[in-house]
Amino acid sequence: MADAKQATLYRMVLPDHVCPFGVRARELLLERGYDIDDRVLRTRDEVEAVKDEFGVATTPVIFLGEERFDGADALAHALARR
């Protein structure tokens, strides 16, 4: 489907901690009907690699197409304007 809304979500789900902001970002995307490529980071090494790759201090990192949003709050603000 060419008009499908696509999102890529990098979020932390460690054995001892599930990032609440990643959960919130996923919920926001689902509420808006996005098809999510949910890239769950299951180790500290995976989390650090994503933070290094994108030059951010925290997760989640969300892509709507080519547009990147750092954190659930930034995503929420962007979705409110769409």
Side-chain angles (χ1 to χ4, degrees):
M1 204 154 65
D3 61 348
K5 296 192 283 188
Q6 301 289 323
T8 302
L9 170 61
Y10 294 85
R11 65 188 183 103
M12 179 173 47
V13 179
L14 302 179
D16 61 341
H17 177 71
V18 175
C19 175
F21 301 105
V23 171
R24 180 165 181 257
R26 186 174 182 277
E27 289 172 352
L28 288 168
L29 292 167
L30 289 172
E31 287 171 7
R32 293 297 188 103
Y34 279 85
D35 180 27
I36 305 168
D37 178 2
D38 195 0
R39 301 192 182 178
V40 176
L41 311 172
R42 299 192 185 281
T43 67
R44 284 282 173 198
D45 287 343
E46 290 177 354
V47 171
E48 293 305 317
V50 165
K51 288 166 46 177
D52 288 346
E53 178 180 351
F54 298 117
V56 295
T58 62
T59 60
V61 177
I62 308 103
F63 286 89
L64 303 182
E66 297 296 314
E67 194 173 2
R68 185 178 102 190
F69 301 94
D70 299 336
D73 288 344
L75 175 64
H77 284 65
L79 291 175
R81 293 191 307 268
R82 291 179 184 237

